Structure formats: structure tokens, C-alpha cells
Amino acid sequence: MYRYDEFDREIVQSRVKQFRSQVERRLDGRITETQFKPLRLMNGLYLQLHAYMLRVAVPYGSLRAKQMRQLAMIADKYDRGYGHITTRQNIQFNWPELTDVPDILNDLAEVEMHGFQTSGNCIRNVTSDPYAGATAEEIEDPRPTAELLRQWSTMHPEFAYLPRKFKIAVVASKTDRAVIRAHDIGIEITKNDKGDVGYHIIVGGGLGRTPIIGQTLREFLPREELLPYLEATLRVYNRYGRRDNKYKARIKILVTETGIDAFKQMVDAEYETLEPLDIAVSAEEVARITSYFSGPDFEELPTHDDSYKAKLLSDKDFKNWAENNLAEHKMPGYAIVNISLKPIELAPGDITSDQMRAVADLSDKYSFSEIRTTHQQNVLLPHVKKSDLYEVYQALKDVKLHADNIGLISDIICCPGMDFCALATARSIPVSQAIAQRFADPERQRAIGEMQIKISGCINACGHHHVGHIGILGLEKAGVEFYQVKLGGDASENAAVGKVTGPGFSQEELVDGIERLVDYYLEVRKDGERFIDSYNRLGMAPFKEALYAA
Amino acid sequence: MSTLKHKGKGPQSLTGNELREGYSVWLTPELEWSRDFGEALKTEDETLIAAMQAKGEESEEANFVVGVYFIDIEPDTGLPVRYREKFRVKGPSYDTADELGLKREK
Ligand code: HEM
Ligand code: SF4
């Protein structure tokens, strides 16, 4: 696991002190709101529609049990007993009070957490594959690279005021569980013909009001060139990215307007002027960081476990859960346990303090104290022995965390929308609930198979609707909410932006329309085809017809 | 200072957020701040509106509220005109704490 070193500790603690003093000065009027706002945002504190909101960074989605327990404590002591997992693998509290925030940050610092880089035009929290260190698909654990980027970008003086926010995601397998093609920079750790490990660098992806799939900047970047090359890329963006119009300020616009080839030339020219050795980290430093992630002491186990198999046969609910929520582990006899935060009746991504503590206890007991958050707004235990799965399942059931819908139609990504967000144009939570209710029948969900519905409450697209198989955007006209539908988006390694079907729907019409759409798919699909496959085979027209058939 | 000055149509209310707790507040006929929109002053009277404006500026300077602004009110319903403001008045239609009977107050 990532080990917090003395630099981090000092920085985080001095920032807490700093913020405490800033809050005091704000409260007694020595600093104005205009001066204070950027200071609070730098610590992840927003003012939302009804109250403040605190966003806590979870670097590359890796959490330890004691951190999860502390988050639970914070939820109880200072908030309303729950938190919300975001599509950037962070956690948000919806109801903190400004006067408590210095204490919250202090409590977070005790477990090596903070809210840096969760806001503002800096390099944001680096995200990664939640299966990191656990999946056999990966070339190596992507987290040392993510950590290297975190260290490089944390308070990098040159990149504190970029034209706009900057998001980086890293994976190390062909399967993309971090949507790297929808990031400002996406990195896939890869091997070249000679077997050397390096980086496939993708640039200029993004969602928001102008969704763009990233393009390849370097097919293969040698390992030691990573930081200098990204430094050059960020310098080019910092210099040429537009600052006159915040809607055109992301790197995706610069790359599109310049053209990828010309952009690459600019980066290469900048790279020539660098002293790469000043920025590159030594092999020893890479080894030191990598050693933090050396992985737990796995037991040598047989691939199959008889007690687990027996339970699969005797408990049908357990079998359904296991089939849907488990993923293959690189070690024989282990499994990755996905925990769905999408029970039919609750808001996607919300987790109560009791549930946080239960997950923390389970991870201590069964998963080497490791927990991950996912961009799908779920959590997972990365390393569970198959022989322990039944106990884990029972314990999850006790706290209602046993929903067996990972990857299915009710595993919906959904932003807070108008219920909490100051920028929203419509609600998103009730829509996701209505869809989940309509398809509540577990048999039906399994029959439909993999389906990604993603909902945003405004064009900022925090709910990833552009890359949903079915994407839903909440809008408002003359005081009435309506919902626009996109089809054919894809958040995987085959990333694609969905296409708008046509005029929007009321919430009720929308759910009926989606049901017709899904029924149509079930009619026309060929063996084993997922919804997105059928859509790609048949195109928009017939699906659109089904959607609007009423 | 926010874009406090009203350019709206019809009855006006004044709103903002408490600096300390962050909750939404509206100005009452007594020119005090209330978390309950039901108590809000709604008026077209330019003299009153000027007094509201003065109170808003004063409250910001006193570091009591932040982001003060006028909102348009529908004369027939007494509710804010903008959808977003209607929502601010009602509070979230969904909150996990309410749903599960978790802590109501902090
Ligand atoms: C305080 C509440 C929030 C505010 C003010 C906010 C604001 C924004 C804005 C303005 C954008 C568009 C940026 C651009 O296109 O340049 C955006 C995009 C995005 N936000 Fe949020 N957001 C909020 C909550 C969330 C939440 C809860 C999540 C996760 C569930 C999230 C994740 C994202 C993602 C993934 C994107 C799109 C990716 C991108 O292109 O940057 N945000 N947000
Ligand atoms: S998509 Fe819009 S409504 Fe949803 S969280 Fe982002 S800014 Fe708010």
C-alpha cells in the first residue's frame, strides 16, 4: 500500500493549521468572501445549493480500513451519517458546516487524508483501475505510476493555475476500468515489441459540454520519460490553452483546434528544451514508490475451493451475487468482491456510516485492510479468499450491501443533480430511482445483461452521460424538468460518445421509453450480445423508433 | 460582493447562505434572516427593496451571510420563479439521511 511519507504528513498538517487560521480570519472579517472562496476550494470545500459540501480525495481510489472508519466517524460527527462516492473515486459530504471544517480536516489528516486537488484549475486527484494489484489482466500495478503522478502534481508551482482543471487516469490493462479516454490525459501502461514496459499516452479526452474521446499522443513512451514528457505537455497546455472562455479552456479544445499532429509537434519542441533529468525520477525512486505497493502476503491456495462451491449450490441468492459481483483475482483461490452501492431504493453512490464501518471491518478481516472506490460509484474488497466469500456475503447482507447488480441496468451512475448541486438544471437521483424501480426484478436484470445507464443533472456531465450505453441529461424549460437521451456511448476501452436521440421526455415518459428500448433489444439481440453490441450492429434508427414509439 | 442589485420583475425576495453553517436563508419583513422561506419578505415596494438591499450589504459586511441576491417571486403562488430557486426553498427531494432515518439534525 501507498505509504504516506514525512513530507506528506508535514504538508497536510500545515495545511490544516493554515485553513483553521483562514476560517478564523474569515469569520471575524479579516478576509473577505472573495479572498476566502479560492482558499476553501483548495481544500475541497464548496458552497452548494443548500449548504456546504466537502470533497475528500481518495488517491486512485485506494482506501485503508482505518481511513474508511474515520470517514464514518466524520459522517456521524459532522454530517448526516452518510457520504457519497463520486465518479472520480472521491467521497463527498453534503452537509458540513464551515466552523467544523478545520476539525474535519484535522480528523482526515490523522488518517493521512485531505481535500487537496479536488477543486480548482490544477491537476486533480489521479484516478486508476480499482482492480489494481488484484487483476491478472494488468501488466503491472498502475498505482505506483499514479502515485508518482500524485507526488509530481501535488502543489506543482507551475501548474497551480492552469487554464482549467486537469484530470489524469492510469490503467495497466487493455480492459479500461477508469475511462482513460475521457480524461485530459489517459495513460495505459503497456509493453512494446521488445517487452519493455512503457506508457501509451492519450490526450484531449473529456466530457462536459463538449464531449471528446482522447487521441493518442504517444503510442509508446519509455518509462523514464513519463514525467518530463507530461511536464512538456502541461507547459504547452498552460501556454496555449484558452483563458478567455472557460468553456473552451480544457486541453481537449486545444488539441482539437490545433490538431493532434501539430499538438504533438508543439509538445516535442517543448520537450527538446527541457532538462529531462531535472524532472525524471531515478530508477531507485521508482523502486522505492513501487515497494509501497508490493502487495499483501497472499497465501498459496488451490484455484477451487470446495466450501465455496458447495455454498454456490445450496444458496441461490449467494450464487446470483457471486456470479454478478465477483471478479477474477490474479492469485489462485482469491476473488475481487465488488460491493454495489446501488440498492434499488437508494441514491447511487451513497454509503451510510454503519455501512462504511462494516466494509472497514470486512476489509480488516478478509482483504488485508484494503478497500477501493470505483468510478461506477461502488466500492470493492480487492483480495478475498474464496473460502471466505460466503461469510463476507452474509456480513454484507446484514448491512444491506448485498445488491447483486454490478454492471446491470440498475447499477446506474448518477450525479447529485438538482437535489444538491448548485449548477444543476434538473434532478437526477429520482430518475435513477425510477429506472431502477422499473427494472427491479433481478431475473429481468440478469436477462438484460450488461447495461450502463449514466445520468447527469446538467451539461457538465459529472454523471458521465455522454459515455453511457444509455445516457440521460436532465434539463429544464419553463419550470419543468425534461430528460434528453443519448444512445451508444461507451466508457470502456472502446470509448465512444453517444448520440442524442431527439426531443426530451418527462421523467415518466422517459422510463416507459427506456423500457420499450430494452424490450426491443431483448427481441433483436443475437447470442450473447450486450445492449451496446446490438446497438452498434443495428444503429440508432430502430432503437430510436422503440424509444419514441408511444 | 455578489450581484446583489435587483433587476428583476414582480415581487422580490432576498436570499443568501449563512457564512458559518452554509444553509440557505431569506430575509424576513423584520429584515432578519430565516432558514424558512415561508417567513420571507416578498415585495414590489421599491422603498422596501432598497432597505432589503442595504440589509443584504450590511449582512455580508458583517460576515453573517454570503452570496446575497434577489430572486423573482411569482405573484400568484408566492414561490420563486426560477426552478432552481424553487428547489432551494424546498430542500432536496431526496436525501439518504431522511430516507433511512439517519441523523436529522447535526
Ligand atoms: C460541487 C459539485 C460539483 C460541481 C460544482 C461540479 C462542476 C463541474 C463542472 C463545471 C464540470 C465541467 C468541467 C468542464 O467541462 O470543463 C464538471 C465535470 C465533471 N465533474 Fe463535476 N461538479 C460537481 C460534482 C461532481 C460530482 C458529484 C462528481 C462525481 C459524481 C463529479 C465529477 C465530474 C466529472 C467526472 C466531470 C466530467 C469530466 C470532465 O470532463 O472533467 N462532479 N463538474
Ligand atoms: S452534472 Fe451538473 S448537476 Fe450533476 S453534479 Fe455536475 S454540475 Fe452538478
Side-chain angles (χ1 to χ4, degrees):
Chain A
M1 269 318 280
Y2 160 56
R3 205 176 303 149
Y4 197 70
D5 56 32
E6 63 268 37
F7 304 115
D8 295 279
R9 181 163 299 122
E10 249 170 57
I11 292 169
V12 174
Q13 275 164 357
S14 74
R15 279 282 286 267
V16 173
K17 252 196 234 149
Q18 228 177 47
F19 191 64
R20 193 180 293 283
S21 141
Q22 287 160 354
V23 170
E24 274 165 20
R25 284 179 286 152
R26 175 68 194 102
L27 291 175
D28 67 22
R30 275 177 288 163
I31 48 181
T32 64
E33 186 61 16
T34 316
Q35 292 165 325
F36 180 65
K37 187 175 167 186
L39 301 174
R40 70 165 156 73
L41 285 173
M42 276 179 223
N43 289 287
L45 186 65
Y46 290 73
L47 188 55
Q48 281 289 49
L49 194 59
H50 313 290
Y52 288 107
M53 180 276 279
L54 182 68
R55 189 179 286 165
V56 179
V58 180
Y60 30 88
S62 274
L63 270 178
R64 273 162 292 142
K66 70 166 184 184
Q67 295 176 315
M68 189 64 126
R69 251 180 231 114
Q70 191 80 337
L71 292 170
M73 188 282 285
I74 288 168
D76 282 340
K77 186 166 170 194
Y78 307 103
D79 211 272
R80 299 194 68 197
Y82 72 97
H84 174 75
I85 308 288
T86 78
T87 44
R88 302 213 74 255
Q89 297 178 297
N90 293 325
I91 183 161
Q92 296 187 173
F93 294 110
N94 283 333
W95 301 100
E97 296 180 4
L98 176 60
T99 43
D100 284 335
V101 174
D103 292 336
I104 300 178
L105 294 182
N106 194 54
D107 291 345
L108 287 170
E110 271 177 23
V111 292
E112 302 155 4
M113 297 183 83
H114 54 72
F116 308 167
Q117 291 169 295
T118 61
S119 171
N121 296 334
C122 60
I123 300 177
R124 299 288 188 89
N125 183 36
V126 177
T127 56
S128 188
D129 185 349
Y131 290 3
T135 172
E137 289 176 80
E138 70 192 13
I139 286 181
E140 63 178 28
D141 190 330
R143 289 174 303 163
T145 296
E147 171 57 16
L148 190 64
L149 294 170
R150 189 192 70 81
Q151 295 190 7
W152 164 73
S153 66
T154 301
M155 289 174 264
H156 192 309
E158 206 172 317
F159 305 140
Y161 289 98
L162 294 167
R164 197 79 179 85
K165 56 176 135 174
F166 203 90
K167 300 178 179 178
I168 304 180
V170 188
V171 300
S173 53
K174 285 284 163 218
T175 310
D176 179 2
R177 281 172 290 259
V179 211
I180 61 171
R181 284 160 187 82
H183 280 74
D184 297 280
I185 286 187
I187 300 175
E188 183 198 338
I189 299 176
T190 180
K191 271 189 189 155
N192 67 6
D193 302 342
K194 287 190 236 133
D196 303 325
V197 175
Y199 303 102
H200 175 196
I201 307 288
I202 296 161
V203 71
L207 301 172
R209 61 181 67 208
T210 319
I212 295 176
I213 299 300
Q215 304 178 66
T216 295
L217 181 61
R218 288 287 295 269
E219 203 66 61
F220 185 84
L221 182 70
R223 174 155 252 165
E224 59 283 3
E225 291 185 47
L226 180 67
L227 292 189
Y229 199 78
L230 292 193
E231 181 101 8
T233 310
L234 265 293
R235 281 193 194 177
V236 168
Y237 169 53
N238 211 7
R239 191 170 343 143
Y240 299 109
R242 287 179 61 170
R243 290 177 188 267
D244 60 321
N245 178 344
K246 82 172 191 179
Y247 302 121
K248 296 194 186 301
R250 297 287 289 267
I251 197 174
K252 62 190 172 189
I253 304 293
L254 178 65
V255 173
T256 316
E257 285 182 354
T258 318
I260 185 72
D261 294 330
F263 181 78
K264 183 171 181 308
Q265 278 170 17
M266 283 152 74
V267 173
D268 288 343
E270 183 64 35
Y271 190 62
E272 289 300 310
T273 72
L274 292 179
E275 295 282 350
L277 290 179
D278 290 351
I279 303 160
V281 290
S282 64
E284 293 79 59
E285 179 59 11
V286 171
R288 188 181 72 91
I289 292 177
T290 306
S291 71
Y292 294 161
F293 298 90
S294 53
D297 291 327
F298 292 115
E299 289 173 42
E300 276 191 37
L301 299 170
T303 306
H304 297 291
D305 181 85
D306 291 339
S307 66
Y308 167 57
K309 272 195 180 156
K311 286 294 177 200
L312 287 178
L313 291 174
S314 65
D315 184 337
K316 193 158 162 284
D317 291 341
F318 175 61
K319 179 168 178 278
N320 286 335
W321 175 83
E323 274 174 5
N324 236 306
N325 289 28
L326 300 183
E328 199 150 329
H329 200 280
K330 64 181 179 185
M331 297 300 292
Y334 284 84
I336 300 169
V337 175
N338 284 290
I339 301 173
S340 166
L341 299 183
K342 318 290 174 66
I344 299 295
E345 62 286 356
L346 295 182
D350 281 4
I351 178 166
T352 70
S353 54
D354 285 341
Q355 292 174 329
M356 291 183 210
R357 276 184 288 267
V359 170
D361 292 348
L362 285 173
S363 85
D364 268 341
K365 197 161 171 201
Y366 301 109
S367 185
F368 302 94
S369 305
E370 285 193 46
I371 301 160
R372 306 286 169 75
T373 55
T374 79
H375 88 268
Q376 314 267 24
Q377 300 178 295
N378 293 313
V379 295
L380 64 85
L381 300 173
H383 317 294
V384 180
K385 281 196 280 189
K386 286 183 178 166
S387 55
D388 291 333
L389 286 170
Y390 195 66
E391 278 171 46
V392 169
Y393 171 70
Q394 296 291 350
L396 288 173
K397 216 164 148 179
D398 289 343
V399 289
K400 299 203 170 82
L401 281 178
H402 62 300
D404 56 0
N405 58 353
I406 292 288
L408 301 183
I409 193 165
S410 61
D411 185 3
I412 296 170
I413 289 187
C414 175
C415 80
M418 185 68 99
D419 283 307
F420 295 97
C421 181
L423 303 176
T425 41
R427 283 176 297 171
S428 45
I429 295 171
V431 178
S432 89
Q433 287 177 318
I435 296 171
Q437 292 285 2
R438 181 66 62 94
F439 293 96
D441 177 7
E443 289 298 332
R444 188 176 182 199
Q445 291 199 41
R446 280 192 288 276
I448 296 164
E450 186 190 321
M451 167 70 94
Q452 297 187 355
I453 298 188
K454 302 181 199 272
I455 310 175
S456 305
C458 80
I459 52 174
N460 287 323
C462 304
H464 288 192
H465 68 278
H466 298 300
V467 290
H469 297 167
I470 300 178
I472 297 167
L473 167 62
L475 296 164
E476 176 250 339
K477 201 172 174 185
V480 181
E481 291 167 318
F482 70 100
Y483 296 89
Q484 202 178 63
V485 176
K486 281 192 150 188
L487 294 178
D490 193 333
S492 76
E493 55 280 12
N494 307 312
V497 171
K499 287 200 186 70
V500 177
T501 54
F505 300 88
S506 70
Q507 182 182 309
E508 231 163 276
E509 292 166 348
L510 173 74
V511 181
D512 291 341
I514 288 181
E515 190 166 34
R516 284 191 300 272
L517 190 71
V518 169
D519 287 343
Y520 173 73
Y521 147 69
L522 290 174
E523 237 170 73
V524 298
R525 78 167 158 196
K526 293 189 172 161
D527 320 324
E529 252 182 5
R530 302 169 304 159
F531 171 82
I532 186 71
D533 302 324
S534 303
Y535 176 87
N536 286 336
R537 177 168 57 84
L538 296 168
M540 162 83 89
F543 288 93
K544 181 172 168 179
E545 204 177 298
L547 182 67
Y548 289 92
Chain B
M1 191 68 54
S2 52
T3 55
L4 204 163
K5 198 144 180 74
H6 100 101
K7 309 180 200 77
K9 280 192 304 216
Q12 300 291 302
S13 285
L14 193 68
T15 186
N17 285 78
E18 296 168 349
L19 171 65
R20 302 177 77 91
E21 285 84 6
Y23 295 121
S24 306
V25 283
W26 295 266
L27 198 65
T28 69
E30 294 74 39
L31 299 189
E32 281 164 15
W33 295 99
S34 168
R35 289 183 186 175
D36 180 2
F37 175 74
E39 297 175 356
L41 170 60
K42 302 156 193 172
T43 181
E44 285 189 85
D45 181 332
E46 287 297 335
T47 323
L48 271 177
I49 288 174
M52 291 160 85
Q53 161 131 4
K55 178 68 186 183
E57 282 167 11
E58 182 199 309
S59 303
E60 285 196 330
E61 269 155 38
N63 306 301
F64 183 72
V65 289
V66 295
V68 174
Y69 57 100
F70 280 102
I71 53 174
D72 294 352
I73 302 294
E74 295 168 350
D76 41 345
T77 64
L79 289 173
V81 171
R82 276 189 67 200
Y83 185 65
R84 174 187 190 277
E85 294 305 323
K86 284 198 176 79
F87 238 93
R88 243 175 116 249
V89 162
K90 278 191 288 196
S93 67
Y94 175 93
D95 184 46
T96 290
D98 295 332
E99 220 58 33
L100 297 179
L102 306 176
K103 274 201 313 183
R104 256 150 220 289
E105 300 297 330
K106 291 176 294 171

